[in-house]
Amino acid sequence: MTTRIVSRQCTLCEAHCGIRVTVDGDRVIRIEGNPDDVLSQGYICPKATAMGALHHDPDRLRTPVRRVGDRFEPIGWDEAFAEIGRRLRAIRRESGPSSIGMYLGNPAAHSSSVLYGVLLRVVLLTRNFYSASSIDQFPQEFAAWRMFGSNVLMPIADIDRTDRLVILGANPAVSNGSVTTMPDAKQRIKNVRARGGTVVVIDPRRTETARLADQHIAVVPGGDVYLLLAVLHVLIAENLCDERAVRARCSGWEELRETVADCTPEWAAPYAGVDADTIRCFARDHAAARSAVLYARIGVCQQVTGTLTHWLVNTVNAVTGNLDRPGGQMFATAPVDATRFGKYLPVGYGAWTDRSGRYKSFRSELPVAALADEILTEGPGRIRAMITYAGNPVLSTPQRGRLDAALESLDFFVAVDMYVTETSRHADIILPPVSQLERADVNLLFPVFSVRNNLRYDAEVFAPPADGLEDWQILARMITEVLPLPARRFTGRILDAVFARLSPMRLAALGIAVGPYGILRRGRAGLTIAKVRATPGGVDLGPLRPRLRALIGTRDRKVRLAPDDFRGAVRELFATRPDGPSAGTDGYDLRLIGRRHLRSNNSWLHNVPAMVKGRDRCTVLMHPSDAGARGLTDGEPVRVSSGTGSIVVTLEVGDDIRPGTVAIPHGWGHREPGVGWRVAASLPGANVNLLHDPALVDPFSGTAAVNNTWVRVTGAE
Ligand SMILES: Nc1nc2c(c(=O)[nH]1)N[C@H]1C(S)=C(S)[C@@H](COP(=O)(O)OP(=O)(O)OC[C@H]3O[C@@H](n4cnc5c(=O)[nH]c(N)nc54)[C@H](O)[C@@H]3O)O[C@H]1N2
Ligand SMILES: Nc1nc2c(c(=O)[nH]1)N[C@H]1C(S)=C(S)[C@@H](COP(=O)(O)OP(=O)(O)OC[C@H]3O[C@@H](n4cnc5c(=O)[nH]c(N)nc54)[C@H](O)[C@@H]3O)O[C@H]1N2
Ligand code: SF4
Ligand SMILES: [Mo]
């Protein structure tokens, strides 16, 4: 047998674990963890093997296709690009640049082709740019921008050195960390305890992570903001803050004190669903730890209080002296040092709005919650053509179920995707990139958010097919097509030739050369792609180092502890509880949150048999007391209804969830006509985003609040 082994990474989620792919001829026969990988050290989760299955998947598109009636037919690349250019240019001529909308999905960030996605967005000059960020980390970016003067400065939890790790609204034992990239999170969490530290998990569900913790606090969904205000109250009232650190590095201390003066644990307890003593002890324990860090992620992002909660997370870290020090919240020094230049990038908050005027742009994009309306509502500025790149917004964003109809109503729709999905089935043309194993890459984004400074190389396992294109090549051709070029036949060819030489790999080499480890700074000892490539586990660039002073973008170079608009929002919390219709009034009496599974990845691993074998995953998890009260039993189909929609899923009864709360995973519901995922299309499950109201958003960032929706659960009849 002539087998060979290639070292690279699994690029399915942010962890980018190092893998060794054993290949026999043109088949992947084994995928294992790479023990030499400097970040993941041999760890992989069960999803890693899907990298091989996706490559071999017979349902994966290998050539561009064009829709003819309700079928797709293969077409050549040149024909596809020519048609795309003709149609998009005509629509723009007729209806202006904003009539072309674009949506960028999560896997885009997992390859450096994303640079070309951003460039395409720039040349489109459209106001209608959307991405998964507005159902993901926007609140973190917004809080970072207000406090540190740059949206890029989202701090990382230094979990490998902390003495006290507090996790709110994240389940890294399953997700392996996000905006704190930590492959093998389980082991890292166990290590905190093994070295004498403490782990606390704040989550309405006793998650896989909570099971590893010393303490689990089952907060009410959306209750974190109250909990943290009260924690700050106790820290300040009992003089438990590191005032020296605060005075040296922060502004707004007096305003912060005033803001939380009335936020006693007794006030917060009913809203947080956590008793006052627990809150008080939490604050004291937190202050007493040698180092301590609060790490929060999407459970608290996808809330109407998402930005406020992330502000309070950063604030607790700052006032306890845990900002920018080992064991606290820190910033990476990545080979292309985005954190250093983030402060020069304009955020342009509110530079424009959607047509209703409700949603403000934030770093040049509009919240995806507005997308269906911007397509469907008649009038000037309406989206008439869409480009989606590596995204499945029909399943991943709340649109009142109207996105299907909206996409179908477009004059033209191009999807850059290798599957006919719930979204791309509406496209006129689908452009599939080569498989992930057919591309070489150096990911420069995740080192910015990793728990250790590093750089790793992704070797290609198979040579791409002769007529295969990578995402960046597809996007570059689209850029040429949409640019208003004079003498297109001639200038277009020149531009294509220029882009062909500007591969993301070449751009990365340049970025690394001028970066903190590059040859410009370090001479011959400097880091180069060739050196990283020659080191199959990647290059370790050391632990995180204190550096906020050099990075901060606020005018007085101090951390803003109490931005005015956040203080205003806290005052409003005293007047109203902004969490949707209240229990009972509309017959909606349970709060719906999300959950992730180790073998699932948002909407798109469900066509890999090994990832979906066994029992139905898209269940509604409910506490036995809630099931009993409704006369419902484990395993029966139930109807889950909200003010926005209704779905039928299987009931799973279990006491891991807080009574009064239910959980359903997102990314399911593949039984739609025309979907090309044959395995996925045979599975049970439904689209949970049909239940979430797109109008319910974090008012600062417009992020969809899909982790706290009032629902009713009844027998499916
Ligand atoms: N209710 C609810 N909704 C959620 C969430 C939640 O917790 N609850 N989570 C949200 C979050 S955090 C995210 S990030 C979003 C994700 O939302 P999206 O990014 O919109 O969707 P994905 O499911 O990641 O879909 C990825 C698509 O990209 C394609 N794809 C995969 N790899 C590549 C590639 O290399 N190139 C190209 N061109 N295409 C590729 C896949 O076939 C798939 O169709 O979902 C969000 N939606
Ligand atoms: N296996 C797997 N891994 C993944 C993904 C996947 O789909 N599957 N997706 C990837 C992506 S795109 C992302 S963004 C990351 C996300 O990574 P995480 O942020 O770790 O995401 P979740 O696992 O959804 O964890 C969110 C947690 O918040 C809790 N929660 C809900 N509401 C509240 C609340 O109001 N307060 C508190 N304190 N907790 C609440 C939920 O119960 C859940 O446990 O994961 C990545 N990794
Ligand atoms: S955690 Fe799993 S899916 Fe994510 S990169 Fe590692 S092996 Fe791949
Ligand atoms: Mo995400």
Side-chain angles (χ1 to χ4, degrees):
M1 205 159 71
T2 52
T3 60
R4 58 195 173 91
I5 297 179
V6 182
S7 294
R8 54 167 290 141
Q9 290 136 55
C10 167
T11 46
L12 293 175
C13 85
E14 264 175 69
H16 276 220
C17 301
I19 53 174
R20 282 187 181 158
V21 186
T22 307
V23 173
D24 180 13
D26 61 359
R27 299 293 304 176
V28 173
I29 53 170
R30 200 165 45 247
I31 292 185
E32 298 160 303
N34 178 2
D36 297 331
D37 187 279
V38 292
L39 202 60
S40 58
Q41 295 165 345
Y43 170 83
I44 48 167
C45 86
K47 287 190 293 302
T49 59
M51 290 285 284
L54 289 167
H55 175 77
H56 295 300
D57 189 347
D59 293 341
R60 181 167 66 81
L61 297 175
R62 278 140 174 103
T63 60
V65 291
R66 170 170 45 201
R67 189 143 68 120
V68 183
D70 29 355
R71 283 181 314 110
F72 283 100
E73 286 181 355
I75 47 165
W77 285 106
D78 288 339
E79 202 186 340
F81 288 121
E83 164 117 4
I84 290 166
R86 232 177 7 251
R87 300 290 299 273
L88 291 180
R89 291 195 304 269
I91 289 168
R92 188 179 48 200
R93 245 190 335 265
E94 219 167 87
S95 314
S98 293
S99 63
I100 305 176
M102 182 170 172
Y103 174 86
L104 193 139
N106 170 274
H110 293 263
S111 93
S112 19
S113 293
V114 72
L115 282 176
Y116 272 84
V118 174
L119 198 57
L120 175 59
R121 183 263 171 280
V122 171
V123 303
L124 284 172
L125 286 174
T126 177
R127 295 182 161 199
N128 280 307
F129 179 73
Y130 304 84
S131 84
S133 298
S134 55
I135 188 167
D136 193 336
Q137 83 288 355
F138 256 16
Q140 277 171 271
E141 291 191 42
F142 199 100
W145 169 54
R146 278 284 200 260
M147 297 181 74
F148 309 125
S150 160
N151 64 309
V152 183
L153 289 181
M154 288 183 281
I156 304 158
D158 186 19
I159 81 163
D160 289 348
R161 288 182 289 182
T162 195
D163 296 289
R164 180 177 159 91
L165 172 64
V166 180
I167 298 174
L168 305 91
N171 187 11
V174 164
S175 66
N176 279 297
S178 177
V179 195
T180 288
T181 304
M182 44 169 144
D184 203 4
K186 259 181 152 167
Q187 191 57 49
R188 292 177 194 270
I189 291 166
K190 286 180 189 162
N191 291 348
V192 177
R193 296 183 65 188
R195 58 177 186 262
T198 326
V199 178
V200 182
V201 171
I202 301 178
D203 197 302
R205 179 163 77 88
R206 182 157 21 112
T207 58
E208 296 77 354
T209 307
R211 288 174 189 283
L212 304 174
D214 297 272
Q215 187 186 7
H216 170 221
I217 299 175
V219 68
V220 148
D224 308 76
V225 69
Y226 305 97
L227 177 85
L228 293 178
L229 283 166
V231 166
L232 279 166
H233 172 92
V234 176
L235 290 172
I236 292 174
E238 299 188 6
N239 285 321
L240 300 174
C241 295
D242 184 343
E243 277 201 46
R244 218 164 54 105
V246 171
R247 293 200 189 279
R249 320 184 56 185
C250 306
S251 64
W253 173 237
E254 292 308 326
E255 291 87 342
L256 180 70
R257 289 173 69 108
E258 188 194 308
T259 304
V260 301
D262 295 330
C263 301
T264 60
E266 284 70 21
W267 165 78
Y271 300 143
V274 178
D275 63 75
D277 279 348
T278 305
I279 299 176
R280 223 171 239 116
C281 289
F282 175 92
R284 290 172 188 157
D285 290 349
H286 204 74
R290 205 164 27 171
S291 67
V293 66
L294 296 191
Y295 164 64
R297 200 51 189 97
I298 66 164
V300 297
C301 281
Q302 297 163 335
Q303 299 286 352
V304 292
T305 48
T307 294
L308 285 186
T309 308
H310 275 286
W311 158 54
L312 296 170
V313 163
N314 295 343
T315 301
V316 171
N317 286 320
V319 301
T320 52
N322 283 301
L323 178 62
D324 201 33
R325 84 160 186 207
Q329 263 186 331
M330 303 196 77
F331 301 92
T333 312
V336 170
D337 200 3
T339 45
R340 178 140 209 149
F341 301 105
K343 62 185 170 214
Y344 303 115
L345 296 173
V347 160
Y349 183 47
W352 62 86
T353 66
D354 71 326
R355 288 177 301 158
S356 78
R358 178 168 180 213
Y359 298 108
K360 290 184 176 148
S361 64
F362 179 61
R363 59 134 163 94
S364 302
E365 53 176 287
L366 285 171
V368 71
L371 179 57
D373 279 332
E374 290 307 285
I375 300 174
L376 288 172
T377 310
E378 308 250 354
R382 181 180 179 191
I383 298 176
R384 297 314 311 142
M386 271 302 290
I387 301 168
T388 59
Y389 161 34
N392 192 3
V394 168
L395 288 195
S396 51
T397 69
Q399 307 283 340
R400 286 186 180 272
R402 293 176 314 149
L403 197 54
D404 271 314
L407 293 173
E408 199 56 43
S409 76
L410 290 168
D411 293 339
F412 192 63
F413 172 16
V414 193
V416 184
D417 202 304
M418 62 283 202
Y419 285 107
V420 184
T421 68
E422 294 71 20
T423 297
S424 66
R425 73 190 163 120
H426 299 292
D428 294 284
I429 292 180
I430 308 178
L431 304 174
V434 295
S435 94
Q436 306 208 355
L437 297 183
E438 289 165 337
R439 66 186 193 212
D441 199 5
V442 171
N443 190 296
L444 294 168
L445 178 62
F446 296 117
V448 177
F449 301 111
S450 286
V451 292
R452 249 188 112 78
N453 296 317
N454 72 90
L455 188 65
R456 296 173 293 160
Y457 184 84
D458 253 344
E460 72 185 27
V461 175
F462 301 107
D467 60 348
L469 296 182
E470 286 188 42
D471 278 313
W472 72 269
Q473 293 168 308
I474 295 172
L475 295 160
R477 289 282 297 268
M478 284 170 70
I479 291 169
T480 308
E481 290 296 342
V482 299
L483 276 173
L485 297 176
R488 167 164 304 279
R489 281 177 112 180
F490 177 64
T491 49
R493 239 179 260 156
I494 296 177
L495 203 59
D496 282 342
V498 171
F499 282 148
R501 278 160 211 281
L502 278 181
S503 68
M505 195 70 94
R506 287 222 168 107
L507 296 174
L510 195 68
I512 293 166
V514 301
Y517 311 94
I519 44 175
L520 281 196
R521 292 255 180 99
R522 309 234 169 141
R524 291 178 67 179
L527 189 67
T528 62
I529 289 189
K531 282 186 191 165
V532 182
R533 191 176 176 179
T535 323
V539 177
D540 179 38
L541 298 166
L544 307 180
R545 300 188 285 274
R547 63 188 305 238
L548 183 57
R549 231 175 272 276
L551 305 179
I552 196 157
T554 53
R555 231 177 251 148
D556 59 1
R557 303 174 75 82
K558 294 204 162 167
V559 175
R560 277 191 220 120
L561 291 180
D564 285 346
D565 42 359
F566 294 175
R567 291 164 59 213
V570 172
R571 280 193 294 275
E572 269 175 47
L573 284 183
F574 275 89
T576 51
R577 293 189 56 200
D579 54 9
S582 58
T585 51
D586 307 315
Y588 299 115
D589 52 1
L590 293 163
R591 292 165 186 267
L592 170 65
I593 61 171
R595 71 176 199 270
R596 284 176 156 75
H597 190 280
L598 198 53
R599 286 175 187 267
S600 174
N601 196 25
N602 297 319
S603 76
W604 71 283
L605 281 192
H606 304 153
N607 208 47
V608 176
M611 297 299 120
V612 291
K613 66 172 191 255
R615 46 191 295 224
D616 181 5
R617 297 258 169 68
C618 184
T619 60
V620 54
L621 177 63
M622 185 187 270
H623 193 270
S625 61
D626 289 323
R630 288 163 183 75
L632 300 171
T633 48
D634 186 61
E636 74 169 294
V638 290
R639 180 168 293 282
V640 185
S641 320
S642 71
T644 308
S646 153
I647 59 174
V648 173
V649 288
T650 305
L651 178 69
E652 184 179 339
V653 178
D655 60 6
D656 281 339
I657 187 112
R658 188 190 156 99
T661 302
V662 291
I664 304 178
H666 71 283
W668 294 88
H670 302 290
R671 294 181 170 202
E672 297 296 326
V675 167
W677 277 326
R678 281 174 293 179
V679 175
S682 70
L683 299 169
N687 179 2
V688 75
N689 277 316
L690 296 176
L691 302 179
H692 298 300
D693 184 351
L696 210 62
V697 297
D698 165 33
F700 292 103
S701 67
T703 303
V706 296
N707 249 318
N708 191 0
T709 292
W710 285 104
V711 295
R712 168 170 63 226
V713 180
T714 52
E717 77 259 358

